[in-house]
Amino acid sequence: MDFTFSEEQQAAAEAAKAIFADVTPDAVPSPALTSGAVADDFDRDLWQRLADADLLSLLLTGDHDGADLDAIALCLVLREAATSLARIPLLENSAAALTIQTHGSTQLKQAVLPHIADGRTVLTVASHGRTGHDSATLAVTASPDPTHHTWTLDGTQTAVPWAHNADHIVVPAHTPQNHPVLAVIPRDATGLHLADQISTTGERLAELHLDAVPVPDTHLIDAGDAWEELHELLTTGTCAQALGLGTAVLKMTSEYTSKREQFGHPVATFQAVAVQTADRYIDLRAMEATLWQAAWRISTRAEGPLPPAGDIAVAKIWAADGVRRVVQTAQHLHGGFGADTDYSLHRYHAWAKHLELSLGPAAQHEETLGELLATHTLS
């Protein structure tokens, strides 16, 4: 694996860094002080700036006004977005658009993809299933109606990000033969009901209730590997967000402990403080190495001792445990100041908990990794 980023990947990262530098986590009310959602919509102004910089269509080809880049480029941008807690559906939108481009019918591509690049069409994905533990495909049943060339969806998907504001939602489901499929349905589809849920970040989620939702044949993706590839990209992107968040938090902590003095010296010079921050630095470097390994595997589909799912599991284990340790140490070293709602650290802590559990905590991915090791012979 080569850790050197291409010129195009670096250009995307630099463009993102310039845009997100102006974003402040304090633009919405604190989730600690808000009983409901911190806002009704994502940051539309920021979304338009990303569209103007051609960062919403990184993974799409030129036919759809895209840059034709890969998961590594997307993860570089997501890492920058997380440093400022950018409130945008960039991961879900990008992953869904790539899936439709790769596996969707001509009619589906024509209906959804033309306005991804300019930000006028927004996509999200129902990726957590009914409980957050079982596969999302098990939560919804897709029944065919050959006479009318449609499918009927029934079931429930929980904790769907940005669903209230997306134009289309990609819903994993299974057929009566237990074949995984993806249905692309509009937010106002007949039989689709959205119930409010609130994330630890204070963002508005949705529980999707699908009651005989009709889906045309052309808007159903039945490629066997479509859901697996989509889930892999979503999980890897979540690791990139955790890395960006953790990097920002460690920087905040280093700056604070360098200024905070006790006994006439900055607390950063105390051995107990230095050892803890050094441990968290090691966490971030491990998160970084395992992230790029996973992103490289899904970008190149290179052969390895284990399928790409193994590298993704390792990356999510480190991301989940690592980001939790980083914010906990930051809170400890900030003392009572870390709980001050006028200071942004508590926001990062809330987002870190969300990312830790999103698409499975470390224990769930350890189980996945164990199953892969048990079924593959390592040479």
Side-chain angles (χ1 to χ4, degrees):
M1 184 180 64
D2 186 358
F3 276 111
T4 304
F5 301 119
S6 68
E7 291 184 6
E8 294 81 4
Q9 291 165 347
Q10 292 181 58
E14 289 300 319
K17 187 174 183 177
I19 292 174
F20 293 122
D22 297 330
V23 178
T24 169
D26 302 326
V28 295
S30 165
L33 302 176
T34 308
S35 58
V38 295
D40 292 330
D41 200 356
F42 59 85
D43 191 337
R44 293 279 179 174
D45 291 338
L46 176 58
W47 192 249
Q48 189 56 55
R49 291 171 61 193
L50 292 172
D52 294 341
D54 298 325
L55 293 177
L56 298 185
S57 55
L58 285 174
L59 305 185
L60 298 181
T61 63
D63 294 339
H64 303 292
D65 299 322
D68 201 16
L69 294 179
D70 55 15
I72 297 173
L74 176 62
C75 286
L76 285 167
V77 175
L78 290 170
R79 181 184 65 178
E80 296 299 331
T83 61
S84 58
L85 305 185
R87 303 178 49 260
I88 49 173
L90 181 60
L91 172 56
E92 296 81 8
N93 187 74
S94 300
L98 176 63
T99 300
I100 292 171
Q101 175 182 263
T102 305
H103 299 289
S105 66
T106 300
Q107 295 91 329
L108 180 57
K109 295 175 186 177
Q110 292 173 345
V112 175
L113 296 183
H115 292 295
I116 293 294
D118 62 18
R120 290 161 58 188
T121 297
V122 178
L123 309 176
T124 191
V125 183
S127 57
H128 292 102
R130 193 166 37 238
T131 65
H133 300 288
D134 298 326
S135 172
T137 58
L138 301 178
V140 175
T141 301
S143 304
D145 183 356
T147 303
H148 298 93
H149 304 288
T150 61
W151 292 74
T152 301
L153 268 59
D154 293 280
T156 301
Q157 295 276 2
T158 194
V160 182
W162 316 111
H164 292 280
N165 310 112
D167 298 292
H168 299 274
I169 306 170
V170 178
V171 178
H174 66 281
T175 67
Q177 293 77 33
N178 286 324
H179 180 74
V181 295
L182 297 172
V184 182
I185 60 178
R187 186 184 69 244
D188 58 355
T190 302
L192 176 62
H193 306 282
L194 277 62
D196 276 0
Q197 294 179 313
I198 306 298
S199 166
T200 57
T201 65
E203 296 298 338
R204 193 180 182 195
L205 306 177
E207 184 173 72
L208 271 56
H209 298 278
L210 300 99
D211 184 11
V213 176
V215 179
D217 284 350
T218 55
H219 283 54
L220 190 114
I221 298 173
D222 61 359
D225 53 355
W227 165 240
E228 180 181 2
E229 292 176 2
L230 174 57
H231 188 266
E232 288 177 346
L233 181 54
L234 290 170
T235 306
T236 305
T238 301
C239 297
Q241 293 173 318
L243 175 62
L245 185 151
T247 301
V249 168
L250 187 61
K251 181 181 179 182
M252 291 171 61
T253 306
S254 298
E255 292 174 350
Y256 176 78
T257 55
S258 296
K259 297 175 182 177
R260 176 78 166 89
E261 291 190 0
Q262 284 190 350
F263 310 110
H265 299 279
V267 296
T269 62
F270 300 163
Q271 185 179 37
V273 173
V275 167
Q276 290 184 70
T277 53
D279 284 344
R280 300 297 77 82
Y281 177 83
I282 293 171
D283 277 334
L284 289 175
R285 297 290 70 77
M287 291 165 64
E288 184 176 34
T290 54
L291 163 65
W292 298 131
Q293 169 75 11
W296 175 72
R297 286 294 304 277
I298 64 175
S299 296
T300 64
R301 292 293 157 182
E303 294 295 327
L306 294 175
D311 296 282
I312 294 167
V314 171
K316 189 56 168 68
I317 292 166
W318 272 105
D321 282 343
V323 77
R324 186 192 72 250
R325 288 193 290 260
V326 168
V327 294
Q328 287 178 343
T329 296
Q331 289 282 10
H332 175 65
L333 296 182
H334 274 82
F337 195 47
D340 187 344
T341 55
D342 290 330
Y343 186 61
S344 58
L345 180 58
H346 75 287
R347 296 175 184 267
Y348 283 90
H349 200 154
W351 278 73
K353 178 55 67 175
H354 175 76
L355 293 173
E356 176 193 349
L357 301 178
S358 183
L359 295 165
Q364 182 174 330
H365 290 275
E366 288 168 352
E367 182 178 348
T368 298
L369 181 60
E371 292 173 350
L372 289 169
L373 291 170
T375 55
H376 291 77
T377 302
L378 304 182
S379 57

